[in-house]
Amino acid sequence: MMTDRTAELNEIAEQVRVCTRCILYKTATHAVPGEGPANAEIMMIGEGPGFHEDQQGRPFVGASGKFLDELLAHINLKRSDIFITNVVKHRPPNNRDPYPEEIEACRPWLDQQIALIQPKVIVTISRFAMARWFPNEKISAVHGKAKRFGNFMVVPMFHPAAALHNQNLKPVLIEDFKKLPKYIQDAKNASDASAEAPKKKDPPAEQLKMF
Ligand code: URA
């Protein structure tokens, strides 16, 4: 049976498919809302659909997607274990960078996906996704390092396509992926600890009167 969260995620996808909030829909073939289970512990956020993704309406189905599957296999995960999406849901023409106003227009979709899925770890695999949580950082300095933001951790990583162009980055990405199981466990421990922490008692009535 479909859970409520899966149904809500599907509803977001339906709305993304008819989205006209920026101009990208005009030149795209298909929107690419993203895919994966509603209870995914890991969410990966890329830049935007490329040629093949635009053709098929699915994220990371081209060469970098294949490499991503290999990276996941190193940590015994499959694509179907993670939720994968992009900062912009329609392909920018000729794979140009998305413009700030396009990222901003698309942001509510990503916000809703994050709020519904409540991942333990968000892996940013594009500089535009990274910029949201690490606006002044360089990927070369922070890749593979986790930083907590409220209920989830964010781990910036190199884009798989970058490693296909620069073979030196391949082992770096593999090592960064190998850190993910520990980060997920850390995130789980942190949320268990906060669930168990004794709730602050209400101040006694006398004290309340003072304010
Ligand atoms: N690169 C991305 O950033 N996203 C995709 O969906 C495919 C390639």
Side-chain angles (χ1 to χ4, degrees):
M1 210 189 74
M2 199 187 285
T3 65
D4 288 352
R5 276 162 77 201
T6 303
E8 279 185 66
L9 214 44
N10 288 344
E11 176 55 31
I12 295 170
E14 284 311 310
Q15 291 175 24
V16 168
R17 288 191 185 101
V18 292
C19 181
T20 57
R21 286 181 188 169
C22 76
I23 57 166
L24 291 180
Y25 78 96
K26 293 187 181 177
T27 45
T29 316
H30 293 110
V32 182
E35 60 190 35
N39 61 355
E41 292 181 329
I42 300 181
M43 186 163 179
M44 292 201 174
I45 309 176
E47 177 174 321
F51 175 83
H52 296 286
E53 291 77 22
D54 175 69
Q55 292 291 308
Q56 298 182 36
R58 301 184 56 209
F60 284 89
V61 288
S64 43
K66 247 184 157 180
F67 182 43
L68 183 62
D69 289 344
E70 277 177 42
L71 290 164
L72 288 169
H74 277 284
I75 51 171
N76 292 322
L77 286 180
K78 298 183 297 300
R79 184 73 74 89
S80 53
D81 295 319
I82 65 166
F83 190 90
I84 188 155
T85 187
N86 285 300
V87 167
V88 293
K89 317 294 195 204
H90 282 103
R91 181 189 184 213
N94 303 316
N95 294 349
R96 68 155 166 77
D97 287 350
Y99 296 144
E101 62 269 25
E102 292 161 353
I103 295 174
E104 204 42 44
C106 216
R107 189 179 163 120
W109 300 128
L110 187 57
D111 289 349
Q112 287 179 52
Q113 289 171 324
I114 295 171
L116 256 173
I117 295 165
Q118 297 184 14
K120 299 268 179 270
V121 173
I122 291 180
V123 180
T124 63
I125 45 176
S126 75
R127 64 196 158 102
F128 297 100
M130 177 177 138
R132 173 171 174 159
W133 289 282
F134 300 84
N136 301 311
E137 302 281 3
K138 284 205 165 88
I139 183 69
S140 52
V142 295
H143 70 88
K145 295 183 183 156
K147 189 167 172 191
R148 173 165 283 282
F149 290 85
N151 293 329
F152 53 79
M153 292 196 184
V154 182
V155 189
M157 295 214 192
F158 286 103
H159 196 291
L164 292 177
H165 290 116
N166 174 359
Q167 288 293 317
N168 295 336
L169 287 180
K170 221 171 167 176
V172 177
L173 253 178
I174 292 171
E175 286 312 306
D176 284 350
F177 262 69
K178 285 188 186 160
K179 296 174 192 161
L180 282 177
K182 178 173 181 311
Y183 290 151
I184 295 166
Q185 197 51 52
D186 289 350
K188 278 186 187 165
N189 294 345
S191 57
D192 287 353
S194 66
E196 278 166 24
K199 298 254 174 335
K200 266 200 183 150
K201 287 210 181 97
D202 287 337
E206 274 309 301
Q207 211 174 320
L208 276 176
K209 267 194 254 162
M210 289 162 56
F211 297 101

